[in-house]
Each structure stands twice: as structure tokens, then as C-alpha cells.
Amino acid sequence: MNSDSLLVAKGISKGFPGVKALSNVDFSLRKGEIHSLMGENGAGKSTLIKVLTGILKKDQGQIYLENSLISPASAEEAKRLGISTVYQEVNLCENLSVAENIYIGREPKKNGRIDWKEMYRKAEVLLKEKLNIEIDVKRTLSSYSTAIQQMTAIAKAVDTSSGVLILDEPTSSLDKSEVQKLFEVMKNLKSRGMGIIFVSHFLDQVFEISDRITVLRNGQLIGEYQTSLLTRNELVSKMIGKEWIEPLLSQKKHAANISKKNFLMVKGLEKKGSMNPVHLSIKKGEVLGLAGLLGSGRTETAKLLFGIDASDNGTLVIENEKIHSMNPKLAIEKGLGFCPEDRKTEGIVGELTIRENMMLALQSKRGIFNYIPLKEQKKIAEKYIKLLNIKTPDMEEKIENLSGGNQQKVILSRWLATNPSLLIMDEPTRGVDIGSKLEIRKLILDLAAEGVSILFISAELEEVAACCDRVIVLRDRYQIGQLEGEKISVKNILELISEGAGVVESVHD
Ligand SMILES: Nc1ncnc2c1ncn2[C@@H]1O[C@H](COP(=O)(O)OP(=O)(O)OP(=O)(O)O)[C@@H](O)[C@H]1O
Ligand SMILES: [Mg+2]
């Protein structure tokens, strides 16, 4: 073993019923390095991390920390050994405050009691200094967006890390500026000799931040590489096991076949304290993007349209029919679908199978007394497992046993299965690997060509620019501008966000 070896795993194997998640995998992390773990959805990345941190029991293999054999039996034990982890699905307590989540089990004390004032102060300083976010740390975690929840988990791990920091897709819902802040923190820890394991499906990030890359495919080790000696195409080729040449992500040409008719129109829809008046329309076959930074009101707008949040003002018209009080059930009846950003709390029903999870929205659309015949269910499930390349031994597998990216694909299938007239997609490619991401983008364009309207939300502005016919820009929960056709570019979106036109007072067309 190398003298600067920090965390070394040898011959790790782990199986689940019907799946060999890891087969004889070696992995080695050095002191003072950032090491990316790469592979397609279901390749075994999170499983390896859970084995290293004692959440899963390995079937075979050894783990060494600074040349000593370790065998952590729980995440707490791993933490005591100096290994802090941000797991792929944020596993904090939604009902506790941000500050409590960060300091749970190590609360500052005064005279034997929890010193709340000190805890809030420390949490504020930590978030501000390390990650440059200023929020009310007394509020419950559940009242914040997925991105803030992710930042909280990162802050906590960074604060408790001593030797090894493991980050499993920490940036999946963050914007560029937050990612840069996190990278600064990572570089700083690295310079102090820490070893960091980083997992991300954003190739740009992997190439920017990592010193070395280990690739897994189907639970097998493919190799360990010096990042500077690898190209993007080589990396993806190793991940998928065949030659890959990245297609150019050209900007979408304004589709000629967009109907003149609006499918949906909204005037002054608002929810006080959550979203200021929104004015927008979506035509049949149009892909409309919502762009903005964290907290700009993208998800809030989507929730108003779908009736998850009740609006307290404004009008909503769908195919010339005025909808007085929108709710999700009515939205589904009217042909809307809503693929939510947070698959864990708003999406998956862990106890149900993949097939059952895929049927939920369609069943609701048809009515609960109109049971979808099993044969039809199986046909639908088969179709989407194939279309979206969902990695599973069986459609009767519980969804909670799928890897994160594959769960995301099941949720997307659930809404596709309803054949919606308008599909709202809030971060549909979150945690999805590069190959499937391109498939989903293609699917969006195909759906639009068939006349489906799409409301598309993504923190990846390149993706917004590549998919949308028109983009509405939001900032601080205000609608501030719009870009159309040729004008849509990452640069122009960013410019609008930073300069900001005035608040949009009414719908343009
Ligand atoms: N608890 C479990 N029960 C059964 N199978 C499981 C379980 N956990 C993981 N698997 C399977 O093990 C394989 C590896 O999953 P893992 O979560 O490690 O993938 P991953 O590389 O992290 O993928 P992603 O990029 O989607 O997060 C997958 O086929 C998954 O379905
Ligand atoms: Mg994973």
C-alpha cells in the first residue's frame, strides 16, 4: 500500500437478490486528493459508498483506513473513524430546524442544557462562511427547497469531516455558483490533506475538480485513471462499455409546428409569500422553460399551475376553460402531468414495486374504480423500462431497491404513461447518467413534435437552452423576462438574471 494511501478497499463484493451490485472491486483514495467515482445509473457507486461507511454489510473484501483494517458497522462508527458522508438521498430530519439537523447529537451545551442561541449562531456562521448562504436556520428543513436541504447536508458533513469526506451527488440540485462555492470548500479541505470521494453525473464538474477517476460498470471495476490523461469521450466509453462520441448539444431551433392555440394560459396567478404574480401561456407542442437561480420561484410556479399550492389570486385557463380552483386531481383530469423535483418526498412510494409506482398517475386519471388490467400495466412498465433504460432485474422489484437515477426514470415514466397534454418537468434529469439524459432530452423534443406541451425546469441552463422554444426567466420569485427562439442562450439567460428587466406585468402575446 502506498504511504499516502488513506482509504483503501480490496476485493469488495456485495450482492442483492438477483443483482451482483459489486464484484471484487478495489478502490483507493489518497490523502489530499479528490477522487471521482463514475459509472452509469446502477453501476454500484452508492453501494460501494454504503459498504465503506458501514450502512451496508459487504459479502467479501477488506477496508483499510491509514493501513489499519476497519470494519465499520454503522454510519456513526464510520464518522467516529473520521469518515463523513453526504448520501445521495439527503437523509436529514425534515421536521427539525436547519440548525438542529446540523448539530444533532453534538449540540452546544451550557450548564448541561442545549444552548439554542449558540447553536443557531454557529449554524448561521457555518452556512455563511463555508457555503455563502444566508437563511433562517430556525426554520424547519422541510420548508426549504431540495437545494437548500442539500447544502445543509454538505455543511454538516464538511463540519464533521476529519480524514475522509464522501459526497454522493451533492451537486444534483445546485446552481453553478453554489457548485463553485462547494468546490472551493473541497479544494480547501484537500489542501489540508483530506481525501474526498466525489460522485456526479455532471462530467464538467468531474473534470474540473478531480485528480483521479475510478470507473465502475455493472458492479465491476473498469479502471482507475489520472483525470488529466482522460478525455470526456474516453471516460463515457469506459462507463458504458462501448465507443462513445458525444453529440453536439446544439440549440433547439424554434419548432415550426407549434400550434397557434394556447393549451394553457395564466394571468396574475400568485400565492402570497411564495410566488408573485405569474403571467404565461403555453401553446400546444411548445417547450417552455422556466429559468432562474435557486429560490427564484421555478418550482413554486409549477406547483401553482398543478394546484399543489392553492393560488390566492389570478386566473388559470386550460383550453379556453377557466379553472376556478386547481388541485392535482383536477389537473390530471385536464391532461396535466407533474414530474416533481424531489423524488424522495414527492415521488416514489418505496414499498410499491416499479410497475405499481408507474401506474399511480394513470390510475388516478382513469379513476380508482376503473382498475387498469394487469396485462396493460405490464405492457406499460415493459415499455418504459426499455425506453428509459431502467436497470432492474424485474418490474416487480420494490422501487426503493433501485439506484437513485433509476428511481428518477420510474417517476418520469409514471407521468409519461398518462399521455399528458401538458407535462411539467421539474428537474427531470436529476441524477440521471449522461446517456439517459440525452435520451430524455430527445424524448422531450419528440413529445413536443407530437403536440404535447412541456413546461421544463432545470438548473442546467445548457439543457434549458437545448430543449426550449421559449424561456421565462424568474428572479427572487418574480417573473422578470422572456427569451424566444434565437435569443435563447445560456449567456442571455444569465444576463437577464443578473441585470434583470423589470417585473413582467402581463402576458406578452
Ligand atoms: N437494497 C437493495 N436491494 C436490491 N438491489 C439493490 C439495493 N440497493 C442497490 N441495489 C441494486 O444494486 C445496483 C447498484 O446500485 P447503486 O445504487 O449502487 O447504483 P449507482 O451507481 O449509485 O447508480 P445511480 O447513478 O443511479 O445513483 C443496482 O442494480 C440497484 O438496483
Ligand atoms: Mg447512486
Side-chain angles (χ1 to χ4, degrees):
M1 233 171 277
N2 206 308
S3 65
D4 61 359
S5 291
L6 182 56
L7 184 68
V8 174
K10 288 201 160 166
I12 304 288
S13 293
K14 174 72 193 174
F16 298 108
V19 184
K20 192 99 171 112
L22 296 171
S23 315
N24 198 21
V25 169
D26 293 340
F27 176 78
S28 131
L29 176 71
R30 294 182 190 148
K31 287 178 194 160
E33 85 161 336
I34 299 175
H35 194 138
S36 288
L37 193 55
M38 298 294 290
E40 287 184 288
N41 293 133
K45 305 176 297 292
S46 298
T47 304
L48 179 59
I49 286 168
K50 287 181 191 157
V51 163
L52 291 174
T53 58
I55 287 201
L56 285 174
K57 205 166 161 298
K58 58 188 182 300
D59 299 339
Q60 264 168 10
Q62 296 88 38
I63 304 167
Y64 300 87
L65 184 66
E66 303 215 58
N67 299 324
S68 309
L69 195 63
I70 60 164
S71 187
S74 66
E76 284 67 39
E77 199 181 328
K79 210 175 268 172
R80 278 199 294 278
L81 292 166
I83 307 172
S84 294
T85 312
V86 174
Y87 293 97
Q88 183 169 7
E89 306 296 341
V90 174
N91 57 345
L92 299 174
C93 304
E94 295 245 314
N95 303 325
L96 297 184
S97 66
V98 170
E100 284 169 291
N101 266 294
I102 296 176
Y103 290 104
I104 194 165
R106 51 188 191 107
E107 297 90 350
K109 300 249 167 74
K110 200 163 133 189
N111 305 328
R113 294 206 182 146
I114 294 177
D115 185 349
W116 291 98
K117 228 170 124 186
E118 175 64 3
M119 185 165 89
Y120 293 140
R121 192 194 63 79
K122 279 177 74 169
E124 264 166 29
V125 171
L126 175 70
L127 287 167
K128 174 81 185 98
E129 288 192 350
K130 288 275 198 282
L131 298 165
N132 202 20
I133 53 173
E134 288 179 74
I135 52 168
D136 181 357
V137 297
K138 299 190 197 92
R139 266 174 58 185
T140 58
L141 197 67
S142 59
S143 68
Y144 285 109
S145 66
T146 315
I148 294 280
Q149 297 188 16
Q150 224 176 36
M151 295 294 253
T152 304
I154 293 169
K156 177 178 177 157
V158 165
D159 198 41
T160 54
S161 60
S162 52
V164 178
L165 177 64
I166 306 181
L167 302 167
D168 192 352
E169 294 193 42
T171 59
S172 60
S173 60
L174 303 185
D175 291 311
K176 278 207 168 71
S177 59
E178 291 140 14
V179 172
Q180 284 312 319
K181 206 69 211 169
L182 172 63
F183 282 2
E184 274 169 42
V185 175
M186 285 165 67
K187 283 182 207 157
N188 188 338
L189 295 173
K190 169 181 147 167
S191 71
R192 287 193 271 155
M194 266 183 63
I196 300 174
I197 302 176
F198 181 66
V199 179
S200 168
H201 288 290
F202 298 110
L203 298 186
D204 291 346
Q205 294 179 7
V206 168
F207 277 98
E208 178 181 343
I209 196 73
S210 44
D211 301 295
R212 288 193 299 163
I213 299 175
T214 287
V215 176
L216 298 179
R217 189 198 319 142
N218 279 331
Q220 310 229 348
L221 174 67
I222 299 303
E224 185 195 77
Y225 313 91
Q226 199 78 35
T227 309
S228 56
L229 301 179
L230 209 57
T231 66
R232 276 171 79 102
N233 284 340
E234 281 166 354
L235 172 60
V236 180
S237 301
K238 290 180 195 309
M239 285 163 57
I240 64 175
K242 55 181 182 236
E243 177 78 7
W244 161 274
I245 297 169
E246 191 160 14
L248 274 178
L249 188 61
S250 59
Q251 197 167 309
K252 185 171 193 263
K253 293 267 171 293
H254 193 74
N257 56 347
I258 298 175
S259 147
K260 296 240 177 324
K261 276 206 219 130
N262 280 335
F263 173 76
L264 173 144
M265 200 178 71
V266 151
K267 274 191 188 155
L269 205 64
E270 70 174 314
K271 180 176 163 63
K272 301 230 161 68
S274 161
M275 189 64 209
N276 295 296
V278 178
H279 315 273
L280 59 82
S281 62
I282 310 179
K283 298 195 170 52
K284 289 186 180 172
E286 184 179 34
V287 186
L288 176 67
L290 287 183
L293 302 178
L294 169 62
S296 59
R298 294 165 300 191
T299 298
E300 286 75 6
T301 302
K303 286 184 170 171
L304 279 176
L305 295 183
F306 200 68
I308 294 172
D309 289 343
S311 56
D312 27 49
N313 255 319
T315 49
L316 169 64
V317 176
I318 294 178
E319 293 200 289
N320 298 325
E321 184 193 344
K322 199 164 162 185
I323 309 287
H324 291 286
S325 168
M326 190 53 127
N327 62 66
K329 192 168 173 294
L330 181 62
I332 292 173
E333 271 168 36
K334 294 288 168 204
L336 270 60
F338 179 37
C339 184
E341 88 177 308
D342 185 351
R343 61 177 170 259
K344 194 173 160 208
T345 57
E346 294 165 20
I348 67 167
V349 185
E351 284 297 300
L352 298 184
T353 67
I354 295 170
R355 172 181 55 79
E356 288 164 334
N357 266 283
M358 280 185 188
M359 292 310 126
L360 291 178
L362 183 61
Q363 188 65 71
S364 166
K365 186 173 188 174
R366 293 205 188 158
I368 48 167
F369 298 114
N370 202 354
Y371 185 71
I372 306 165
L374 196 60
K375 209 169 145 201
E376 188 185 347
Q377 294 192 26
K378 286 188 173 163
K379 220 171 128 194
I380 295 172
E382 252 164 38
K383 174 178 160 187
Y384 288 109
I385 286 174
K386 193 151 170 257
L387 185 71
L388 296 177
N389 190 21
I390 297 172
K391 189 160 180 269
T392 176
D394 197 323
M395 67 171 76
E396 303 304 329
E397 182 80 49
K398 279 189 188 165
I399 193 175
E400 62 191 4
N401 291 340
L402 290 191
S403 79
N406 285 307
Q407 291 181 2
Q408 181 72 24
K409 296 179 197 173
V410 174
I411 302 305
L412 183 56
S413 309
R414 174 190 296 169
W415 293 102
L416 292 172
T418 64
N419 288 324
S421 303
L422 166 63
L423 182 56
I424 302 171
M425 305 170 106
D426 194 354
E427 303 286 354
T429 62
R430 189 174 167 219
V432 166
D433 63 41
I434 176 103
S436 305
K437 214 177 237 187
L438 295 178
E439 280 305 314
I440 291 173
R441 284 182 198 155
K442 188 167 156 291
L443 188 75
I444 290 172
L445 302 186
D446 289 349
L447 286 171
E450 287 166 23
V452 178
S453 311
I454 311 263
L455 185 71
F456 184 70
I457 303 175
S458 171
E460 259 182 280
L461 295 181
E462 291 79 9
E463 190 168 75
V464 173
C467 292
C468 297
D469 299 298
R470 198 151 56 86
V471 176
I472 286 181
V473 179
L474 307 175
R475 192 183 59 201
D476 296 335
R477 294 162 200 273
Y478 280 97
Q479 183 178 349
I480 56 163
Q482 135 165 292
L483 295 165
E484 198 161 346
E486 304 279 291
K487 292 245 167 64
I488 301 175
S489 68
V490 174
K491 184 168 159 278
N492 288 349
I493 296 174
L494 283 172
E495 255 172 40
L496 252 183
I497 291 173
S498 61
E499 296 165 9
V503 170
V504 174
E505 298 290 354
S506 68
V507 70
H508 282 312
D509 51 3

